[in-house]
Amino acid sequence: MTTAGDPASYLERLREPVEAGLRLGLTEEFCDDDLPTDELPDWFIDVSGDRFEGAPDFAQLGRERHSKLRGSGNWRVQGWLFRFAPDDETRGWAWWDATVVGKSKVRIWVDSWGESFFGCGDLRWVAFTAGARDVDGPRLARPEEWAAEIAGRP
């Protein structure tokens, strides 16, 4: 994906909501009640709500870019968080990482259990709203490709 700005800042914004969701997947019951949002950044809550005008520009532009994707609707915070339920089979990925691969390029790595087509709308939403200009893929890659890429990290 291509970022709109510094890729290191983008990665920080991307990681915060995803890691909060993954932590909830380990600690919450995922009953019919709303899940806690206190670990989510304010910008993500704002952009994923009805009154998204209060979100920062990068998030609003990402929401706008995401809405232009064919068949993509905007995500609500609770719907997005419920994708992290351990028993939810609609999220087609598990473990994740993200790496900077160029001046304005970032790659998101996930374990899709070898499936070339999997549910990743939740990742697209957070990728765009964190400030991506475009998001492509998914593309299957071998774990060795990820290992080689992270070997070059500072």
Side-chain angles (χ1 to χ4, degrees), residues 72-141:
S72 292
N74 294 321
W75 286 72
R76 303 268 186 210
V77 172
Q78 290 298 318
W80 189 82
L81 286 174
F82 268 90
R83 292 295 288 265
F84 291 91
D87 296 334
D88 184 358
E89 295 180 7
T90 59
R91 189 181 89 218
W93 57 275
W95 168 97
W96 87 293
D97 191 13
T99 54
V100 175
V101 292
K103 189 175 181 179
S104 62
K105 295 263 186 196
V106 169
R107 190 175 348 262
I108 296 176
W109 298 89
V110 298
D111 180 355
S112 67
W113 304 287
E115 298 294 327
S116 61
F117 183 80
F118 60 94
C120 59
D122 48 355
L123 282 175
R124 283 185 191 283
W125 175 252
V126 72
F128 273 109
T129 59
R133 287 187 184 178
D134 61 73
V135 177
D136 60 346
R139 177 184 73 81
L140 282 181

Side-chain angles (χ1 to χ4, degrees), residues 95 109-111 114 140-151:
W95 168 97
W109 298 89
V110 298
D111 180 355
L140 282 181
R142 297 195 170 277
E144 296 81 17
E145 291 179 59
W146 168 78
E149 197 160 289
I150 64 162

